[in-house]
Amino acid sequence: MTSDYLKHVRSLEHLRGLIERDYTSEARKATAGFVEDVGKMAEKIANDAEQMTARVKAEAK
């Protein structure tokens, strides 16, 4: 699970590099990719939270 978050951090660094290199064309592509990455990561976090909640409820019973 930790490696997924590290991949996200690396994609943020990659986005910054793309924007610094060519702000106009690459920024649009990089921003679209970034938004997609953030959406995927948010979904992963939500799934992990649901699994953790289910595990805690099961252990509480």
Side-chain angles (χ1 to χ4, degrees), residues 18-19 21-32:
L18 290 174
I19 290 172
R21 267 193 323 204
D22 182 3
Y23 182 73
T24 54
S25 64
E26 288 295 326
R28 287 190 194 120
K29 288 186 226 172
T31 302

Side-chain angles (χ1 to χ4, degrees), residues 38-48:
V38 169
K40 288 178 184 177
M41 189 54 58
E43 188 173 324
K44 172 93 172 99
I45 291 169
N47 289 337
D48 289 349

Side-chain angles (χ1 to χ4, degrees), residues 1 45-61:
M1 183 165 28
I45 291 169
N47 289 337
D48 289 349
E50 287 176 12
Q51 289 175 3
M52 190 71 81
T53 302
R55 189 179 314 156
V56 169
K57 284 182 181 179
E59 289 177 7
K61 287 182 181 182

